[in-house]
Amino acid sequence: MELIKAYAEEIALNIDGNLDLNELKQLIEKPKYEEQGDLAFPCFLLAKILKKSPNEIAKDLSKKITNPLFGKVVAEGPYLNCFLNRKIVGKEMIKSILKAGENYGSLEIGNGKNVVIDFSSPNIAKPFSMGHLRSTVIGNSLSNIVEKCGYIPIRINHLGDWGTQFGKLIVAYKRWGNEKSVKQNTIKELLNLYVKFHEEAEHNPSLENDARLWFKKLEDGDEEAYKLWKWFRDESLKEFSKIYELLDVFFDSYQGEAFYNDKMKETIDTLNGIGLLSHSEGAEVVDLKEFDLPPCLIKKSDGATLYATRDLTAAIYRQKQYQFEKALYIVGHEQSLHFKQVFLVLEKMGYDWAKGLVHVPFGFILKDGKKMSTRKGKVVLLEEVIKEAIDLAQKNIEIKNPNLENKKGIAKIVGVGAIIFHDLKNERQNNVEFSLKEMLTFEGATGPYVQYTHARACSILRKGNDKANTSNLMGLDDPHSWTVIKSLMEFPNVVEKSFKQLEPSQIAKYLINLSQDFNKYYSHVKILIPDGQQQCRLALVKSVTLVLKEGLRLLGLKAPDKM
Ligand code: ARG
């Protein structure tokens, strides 16, 4: 039910077509204070058209609006304020939520157009870092949000599977590595080899040259180099998949940097053809002085291509492939300059669609105020962190609800949910302090708190034998249910805001508020007593479970019925 539209329609009936419905809708606002009502219509524009005072118009209109939905309509100076009839609105609201089910809050902004979401994108043969975790969690949620808004999300994992580091890795593997240990412990072993390469190269500089040669061989399609590279890639992906499985995240494409290998020549030729390439110290660059930015490096003096060359090529390829309206790059803010350069080069190439490219940056994950690093042996292996969260969640369950069925499954949902929610509840640009203990509490602004609220609501429904049908709802008039109903009413707006700002935190914060409102309601109102309103109360509880579950889904969390 769209209250603003309904109010606008009511006003439209009484102003002789002097403003159309859309204009009216735009004008309607929320009064500053709750005592002033639920909706306000300022009469200034109408006053100009009708050459009457706005106060007079407000007074006039207040007498003419008789729809019972708007319980009381009063003129307050130049404003036409209305107080909704809570019983009717609540009833209609609950009806429409139950009817829409999980589609409640879905919007039609996207009209089925494609949005590419480039996220997660870890680097082969390196640990999956905390930054990649953030990108995975934020990107997954934004994919869901975009879809909720009527777009088709294309989830792309732009794997870091190309670059000079593979030359180093091949050299190190051939000298010090063996198949068995790589198979047993891929990322740890490959990282060790990588670290060893750098240590050795310090007193044996010829290694760097070997590495360059091997990378050149790889780029030229040498069989041995290619086989090793492919093997490193496959083994690394196997390990990353374990993390994706735990987080329940999937991708439509794993076309990473290597995929663009044979496509970069065309990009470079195009750049050359339109005279955008210039030489700088042996390298080929696109000059960006006019934007006060350093040049974008396209080709090194030895002919090797770069990260930016691959991103330019990837964007062009994806536009051809998907005709995206928007392409979001979920990458930490330390790469802001890179994306600025890439987007500007594409604009200079004359691509109109470059306007739809958006870098969606985020902050660091901190431990005791310091950046959590995966480099230099201080590796925090993500898979272990996630498993620890699941273990802790399981211990919690053993204490709180030892007879719960499927404890293992629920522990996974809660442990993983805790990590995801903890990341998403803050605006993405902020840094996040990592604390398993804090994430996993059932109180406060955590994933388990929202999940637990949902499970509690489900348990009430079970006790009420799911009598939440809508055929004969009476409506509710106590202040606690009104608070919950108002909160439910907000959901579509929250979805829209989270999409416009590309901020899952909007939804996370909303879910905390709704949970708090519901828990207050639960502690003040007896839901299960069999009076005339029981069915309606149960229908309200059911609406709450629907919205909590759908909100959690948008963030990438599951909502078990029992906890
Ligand atoms: N692999 C890169 C890194 O770990 C992130 C890639 C992001 N996506 C992109 N299209 N550049 O830093």
Side-chain angles (χ1 to χ4, degrees), residues 118 121-123 132 158 160 257 307 311 329 331 335 338-339:
D118 174 318
S121 312
N123 300 319
H132 297 124
H158 188 74
E257 295 187 43
Y307 185 48
D311 258 330
Y329 295 81
V331 188
Q335 291 192 26
H338 164 76
F339 285 108

Side-chain angles (χ1 to χ4, degrees), residues 294-314:
C296 183
L297 251 69
I298 304 294
K299 211 167 162 186
K300 284 201 247 180
S301 49
D302 62 3
T305 55
L306 290 118
Y307 185 48
T309 329
R310 290 187 276 282
D311 258 330
L312 290 170
T313 311

Side-chain angles (χ1 to χ4, degrees), residues 179-219:
E179 191 177 332
K180 203 168 140 222
S181 23
V182 171
K183 277 218 157 125
Q184 257 167 11
N185 228 333
T186 311
I187 304 288
K188 262 192 191 146
E189 188 55 26
L190 292 178
L191 184 68
N192 284 342
L193 287 172
Y194 193 66
V195 170
K196 177 135 177 121
F197 178 91
H198 284 278
E199 283 165 8
E200 297 285 328
E202 254 173 49
H203 35 262
N204 184 2
S206 74
L207 284 176
E208 295 279 3
N209 205 34
D210 291 353
R212 243 188 310 276
L213 289 177
W214 271 106
F215 183 58
K216 183 89 181 78
K217 278 189 177 184
L218 182 60
E219 288 214 296

Side-chain angles (χ1 to χ4, degrees), residues 229-242:
W229 168 82
K230 174 101 176 27
W231 183 53
F232 295 154
R233 187 185 193 269
D234 290 347
E235 292 295 321
S236 302
L237 255 191
K238 257 192 233 161
E239 281 206 25
F240 296 152
S241 307
K242 290 186 208 155

